[in-house]
Structure formats: C-alpha cells, structure tokens
Amino acid sequence: MEKNGSAGSPHRRSVGATVFAWLILVPNSILILICLLVFINSVLNPQSILDSFRRVEVYRGEIHNINSIRELYFFMLEGLILWVPSFVGAIAVLRLKEWGRKLIIVVSLVSFIYFSYRLIMHTVTFEVTAGMSLIFYVLIIYYFTRPKVKEQFK
C-alpha cells in the first residue's frame, strides 16, 4: 500500500487502486495525445489525414466510413467523451478522491455498454480487443465497488 500523500490522512491507497488507476491513465493519456495531434494535423492538412486513415490497413475495418473531416471529428469526439473523464478519474483515484472512484465506475459502466453495443452490432473490427475491454471494465466496476476499496476513499 502507498500513502495517500496528504498530511494527516489515515487512508492508504491499495496496490490494486494504484494499478487500475495507472492502467487507465497511461493508455488514455496516449489516446488523448493522439487525438489532439490528429486534430491539429487535420486542421493543417485535411486531405492528408483522411488519406492516411485509408492507407493504414489496421484501421480500415474500424473507420472505413470516415470520408470527411466532419466524420473524423465525430469519431474523435466519441473517444474523447470516454477518454477525458477516465483520465481525470484516474488522477483523482491516485489522490484517493471519492468522486474519482465514482467517476471511474460510471465511465467504466458507460464504456461497457458502448462496447457491448458495438460488439453486438458488429461495428468493432477487433472482437478480441473489444472483449478484453469488456472484461477490464467489469473488473474495474467490481474492484471499485468492494467495501474495503470504498473505505480507502472516505
């Protein structure tokens, strides 16, 4: 267990809370950064960014219908709606903030519903990745709703 870092606080952050927070924080930081770089590039050279998405085989099934900058912005907004709150919640969890724990649970629940829908409707190219994401969201919800974990955030 790690100390919270705030003076006089009797609560300690568990290793599990720390690991989950970092597992959320690192990928979301990267995704937000990529999203911002794509946005900047799309403003500077819109056709180039659309051509790049069409050339990259890995993305072809996932975003094959992105034919305009407007569609690209919608795709990025879709991700940012989940990534930014996850990022903020993970930082709050590292600081043992109760609202951060609740935010992580809510975002995980919304993400679970979103990815389940996309998996059922076959709009996800990488079923294995989506399935692993669903398991991860369930684990987050389970872990952060346990009484001993909730106790750390009071």
Side-chain angles (χ1 to χ4, degrees), residues 2 5 21 42 49 58 63 73-74 80 85 92 96 103 120 126 140:
E2 296 179 11
S42 71
I49 195 70
V58 174
I63 57 175
Y73 289 161
F74 181 76
L80 287 174
L96 289 177
L103 182 60
I120 291 167
F126 305 107
I140 290 171

Side-chain angles (χ1 to χ4, degrees), residues 115 119 124-137:
F115 277 102
L119 200 55
V124 175
T125 304
F126 305 107
E127 288 85 4
V128 173
T129 305
M132 289 174 28
S133 296
L134 292 175
I135 292 168
F136 183 67
Y137 297 130

Side-chain angles (χ1 to χ4, degrees), residues 84-138:
V84 171
S86 294
F87 177 84
V88 171
I91 291 172
V93 163
L94 289 172
R95 295 181 178 190
L96 289 177
K97 303 292 183 185
E98 174 68 7
W99 62 266
R101 183 187 70 81
K102 290 178 180 177
L103 182 60
I104 289 295
I105 292 168
V106 168
V107 172
S108 295
L109 183 60
V110 169
S111 298
F112 179 84
I113 292 167
Y114 175 72
F115 277 102
S116 295
Y117 171 78
R118 290 193 64 195
L119 200 55
I120 291 167
M121 299 309 278
H122 304 290
T123 60
V124 175
T125 304
F126 305 107
E127 288 85 4
V128 173
T129 305
M132 289 174 28
S133 296
L134 292 175
I135 292 168
F136 183 67
Y137 297 130
V138 167

Side-chain angles (χ1 to χ4, degrees), residues 2 13-25 93-94 136 143-144:
E2 296 179 11
R13 187 177 61 234
S14 66
V15 172
T18 303
V19 168
F20 273 121
W22 281 105
L23 284 174
I24 294 166
L25 191 62
V93 163
L94 289 172
F136 183 67
Y143 181 79
F144 283 104

